[in-house]
Every structure is written in C-alpha cells, then in structure tokens.
C-alpha cells in the first residue's frame, strides 16, 4: 500500500484479511460460547452482508447503467462497451442458462456447465470484488498537498484532435488538485 496504492493486490489482500479476520472471530466466539457476544457478532455480520447481497443482485443493472453513461460520454469502442456486455450476460444470458439447463440439457451437459462455467463466474466475481475494494482503498487515502508534479493519464482524442469528456474531467481534477498545492 505504501509503494503503490493503486495495485489490485491491495484489494485482494484486504478482502482476504477481512474474510480471515471474520472467520477467526466467528470460531473464537463459538469456542467461547458467550451468547450476547454471539448475538452481536452475527447482527454485525448480517448488517454487513445485506448491502453486499443487494449490490451483488443489482450488479447487472449497475453495469448496464455504467454502459449507458459511457455510451453518452465516450466513443463507442469495444473497450467502452465491456460493461454493457457483462450486464447483458448477468441479466439475460445466465438466468436463461439456469432456466434451461435442467429442462433441455442432459445431466452430463449440466455437469459440464457447473464444472466449467461456474468457476469462471466465481473467478470474475473474485477479481471484481478485489477491484471494488482496491478502488475504495484508493478513495480513503488521499494524496498530500505537497506534490512536485501531477501525472494525468491520457484518454483517446475524439477525431484525433478533440479532448474527450473523460480526458477533460481528468485534466480538471488535476488542475483542481494543483491549485490546492502548498
């Protein structure tokens, strides 16, 4: 985190830390067998789990909303439409596959689906959660106002000469940050 706060590894390590700490606390509370502590722990666990479940269930809608925002603000390239494809996959394709898998497909095909597709989905969910956690960590640690220089990441120019809205917003954020220096 000190060397590079933007690394995806920070999100992975933070997620593992939270899960392992939660599991350790759960085992410790169960071993201690203190009822009031158990009630508090599981109440906090449910309070944390409900927003995560809501976010996960709305993931397809959020991805489509992001795709719509990018569609209006940026160019219509394949890279900019990845959230649209993921949203359609989550909202339309996966439920259809779940609905038809046991009715139309043989037991071997369903087994193959479970063996091949579900690990890929879990893999993508793992990295998505790592990305979200890494993003939240970068938002929590703001840079100090004593920087000698500011690096602005580029974004493609529209028609080879016009600044895109994404690049314009990055430049504006850098200018606002530069005006707060020293």
């Amino acid at each position: 985190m000190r060397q590079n706060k933007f690394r995806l590894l920070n999100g992975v390590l933070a997620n593992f830390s939270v899960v392992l700490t939660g599991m350790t606390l759960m085992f410790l509370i169960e071993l201690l067998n203190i009822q009031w502590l158990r009630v508090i722990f599981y109440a906090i666990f449910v309070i944390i789990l409900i927003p995560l479940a809501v976010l996960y269930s709305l993931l397809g809608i959020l991805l489509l909303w992001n795709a719509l925002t990018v569609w209006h603000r940026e160019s219509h390239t394949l890279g900019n439409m990845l959230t649209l494809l993921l949203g359609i996959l989550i909202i339309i394709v996966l439920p259809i596959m779940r609905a038809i898998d046991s009715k139309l497909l043989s037991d071997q095909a369903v087994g193959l689906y479970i063996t091949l597709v579900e690990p890929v989905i879990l893999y993508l969910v793992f990295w998505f959660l790592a990305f979200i956690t890494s993003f939240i960590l970068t938002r929590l640690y703001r840079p100090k106002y004593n920087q000698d220089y500011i690096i602005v990441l580029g974004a493609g120019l529209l028609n080879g000469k016009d600044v895109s809205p994404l690049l314009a917003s990055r430049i504006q954020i850098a200018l606002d940050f530069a005006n707060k220096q020293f």
Side-chain angles (χ1 to χ4, degrees):
M1 190 75 178
R2 289 183 185 163
Q3 293 175 350
N4 185 357
K5 70 176 183 172
F6 297 104
R7 291 176 60 183
L8 191 57
L9 179 62
N10 296 331
V12 171
L13 294 176
N15 285 346
F16 278 136
S17 298
V18 168
V19 168
L20 291 176
T21 301
M23 288 174 55
T24 303
L25 285 174
M26 183 178 67
F27 288 131
L28 182 64
I29 289 169
E30 291 297 325
L31 285 174
L32 292 175
N33 201 17
I34 301 172
Q35 187 62 29
W36 65 269
L37 191 58
R38 183 181 295 151
V39 170
I40 291 172
F41 175 77
Y42 286 114
I44 292 172
F45 181 74
V46 168
I47 289 170
I48 292 172
L49 198 60
I50 288 174
L52 289 176
V54 169
L55 179 66
Y56 181 73
S57 64
L58 295 176
L59 182 61
I61 294 168
L62 293 172
L63 287 170
L64 290 178
W65 177 51
N66 179 269
L68 183 64
T69 303
V70 170
W71 183 269
H72 288 299
R73 294 185 180 179
E74 296 299 322
S75 62
H76 305 149
T77 64
L78 177 62
N80 288 341
M81 292 297 105
L82 287 179
T83 56
L84 174 67
L85 297 175
L86 284 173
I88 290 171
L89 177 74
I90 290 172
I91 289 178
I92 297 171
V93 175
L94 292 178
I96 289 173
M97 287 296 294
R98 282 285 186 190
I100 67 171
D101 67 356
S102 61
K103 294 180 178 87
L104 298 176
L105 301 175
S106 66
D107 289 340
Q108 291 85 9
V110 172
L112 183 65
Y113 171 78
I114 291 171
T115 304
L116 297 177
V117 175
E118 288 189 359
V120 171
I121 292 171
L122 290 174
Y123 175 79
L124 293 174
V125 166
F126 169 82
W127 285 109
F128 181 74
L129 290 174
F131 173 77
I132 294 296
T133 305
S134 179
F135 173 76
I136 290 170
L137 289 174
T138 60
R139 297 291 107 199
L140 293 176
Y141 295 102
R142 294 288 184 176
K144 296 177 182 168
Y145 292 115
N146 61 354
Q147 306 300 318
D148 294 329
Y149 56 90
I150 299 169
I151 298 173
V152 177
L153 296 178
L157 296 174
L158 300 175
N159 301 323
K161 60 182 176 176
D162 298 325
V163 175
S164 69
L166 177 63
L167 183 56
S169 67
R170 289 178 180 175
I171 292 170
Q172 187 59 50
I173 290 170
L175 287 172
D176 293 342
F177 183 78
N179 291 332
K180 294 177 184 177
Q181 295 297 305
F182 304 101

